[in-house]
């Protein structure tokens, strides 16, 4: 949902930057942005020194959640997000929203999108043992839908979404709405790339979701 249906990736970047700054870590926003989509523990392992005092990681994660929660009431849905979900549901797709977000973050994003009637199941970080880029969220979504990998299509916006799909053997449509360059998404293994949900909706019939 983050960066795919709701325009949140840069908000997460700023919140992580401030949370790390408060803990005494100087990390560039570009580096933070390119880790958005990872689970929190993997994000910090990638960005922070290996020899750090890891007892402070939970405080950083909590600070990020607190800072990001300030945006809940004004999260912006991406163009075409609700229309895409409703169209797919009308065409018979079983929609599972799988996210590394916590349940309260998911609730805020669902309220922003306003298409709950189209959503069959929602998975949060609380529902899987390991977050992206591990395949756990994708594999759990397959179990919830009761389908095999070859019968599913994942729509995401980060390299870590694509990597998780490749590991799970699921086709991945990548959107550029998360701010990741298309060449990075293709290199990671994305099958198709579109600008945002509205662009995917315009090309739905020729996409993997239209077959």
């Amino acid at each position: 949902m983050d960066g795919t249906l709701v325009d949140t990736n840069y908000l997460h970047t700023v919140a992580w930057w401030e949370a790390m700054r408060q803990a005494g870590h100087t990390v560039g926003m570009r580096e933070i942005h390119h880790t958005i989509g990872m689970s929190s523990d993997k994000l910090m392992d990638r960005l922070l020194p290996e020899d750090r005092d890891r007892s402070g990681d939970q405080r950083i994660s909590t600070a990020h959640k607190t800072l990001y929660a300030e945006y809940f009431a004004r999260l912006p849905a991406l163009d075409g997000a609700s229309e895409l979900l409703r169209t797919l549901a009308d065409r018979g797709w079983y929609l599972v929203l799988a996210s590394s977000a916590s349940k309260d973050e998911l609730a805020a994003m669902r309220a922003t999108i306003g298409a709950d009637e189209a959503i069959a199941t929602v998975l949060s970080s609380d529902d899987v043992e390991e977050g992206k880029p591990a395949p756990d969220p994708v594999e759990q979504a397959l179990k919830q839908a009761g389908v095999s990998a070859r019968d599913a299509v994942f729509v995401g916006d980060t390299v870590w979404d694509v990597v998780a799909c490749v590991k799970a053997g699921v086709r991945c449509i990548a959107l550029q709405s998360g701010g990741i360059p298309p060449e990075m998404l293709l290199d990671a293994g994305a099958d198709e790339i579109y600008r945002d949900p509205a662009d995917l909706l315009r090309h739905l019939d020729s996409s993997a979701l239209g077959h």
Side-chain angles (χ1 to χ4, degrees):
M1 294 179 72
D2 277 303
T4 304
L5 298 173
V6 186
D7 195 5
T8 56
N9 284 16
Y10 293 102
L11 301 178
H12 274 298
T13 297
V14 172
W16 276 115
W17 175 83
E18 176 61 19
M20 292 177 184
R21 188 199 67 80
Q22 291 177 3
H25 299 289
T26 301
V27 183
M29 288 201 190
R30 180 182 182 277
E31 284 69 31
I32 296 173
H33 175 234
H34 282 197
T35 62
I36 300 301
M38 282 185 161
S39 58
S40 295
D41 56 337
K42 289 183 172 66
L43 180 149
M44 286 186 282
D45 281 343
R46 189 176 181 90
L47 294 173
L48 300 179
E50 187 175 351
D51 60 352
R52 71 187 182 279
D53 179 2
R54 294 173 183 267
S55 65
D57 285 6
Q58 185 57 51
R59 288 194 299 273
I60 295 173
S61 180
T62 299
H64 160 261
K65 290 179 181 178
T66 301
L67 290 160
Y68 179 69
E70 295 179 6
Y71 298 111
F72 279 2
R74 54 188 190 278
L75 294 178
L78 285 159
D79 186 26
S82 60
E83 294 85 356
L84 176 63
L85 294 181
R86 291 192 181 100
T87 299
L88 290 172
D90 288 344
R91 292 188 177 196
W93 282 93
Y94 185 94
L95 302 185
V96 180
L97 296 188
S99 174
S100 297
S102 61
K103 288 185 177 179
D104 56 341
E105 292 175 31
L106 280 174
M109 288 189 285
R110 291 175 67 176
T112 292
I113 296 168
D116 271 2
E117 74 280 3
I119 301 167
T121 306
V122 178
L123 300 176
S124 74
S125 58
D126 301 326
D127 299 313
V128 295
E129 291 186 9
E130 191 172 358
K132 295 174 291 187
D136 298 34
V138 182
E139 292 173 346
Q140 184 63 26
L142 293 174
K143 290 179 182 178
Q144 291 290 333
V147 299
S148 65
R150 67 176 179 274
D151 294 323
V153 179
F154 187 97
V155 182
D157 66 285
T158 71
V159 166
W160 316 114
D161 291 329
V162 180
V163 170
C165 287
V166 170
K167 291 178 179 178
V170 173
R171 291 170 292 171
C172 184
I173 293 175
L175 304 184
Q176 297 179 60
S177 45
I180 302 302
E183 58 270 19
M184 292 182 66
L185 297 168
L186 287 171
D187 287 346
D191 295 282
E192 301 173 12
I193 295 183
Y194 301 92
R195 181 177 176 82
D196 56 19
D199 187 36
L200 173 56
L201 184 58
R202 285 191 293 270
H203 297 90
L204 196 58
D205 289 338
S206 60
S207 76
L209 288 165
H211 297 164

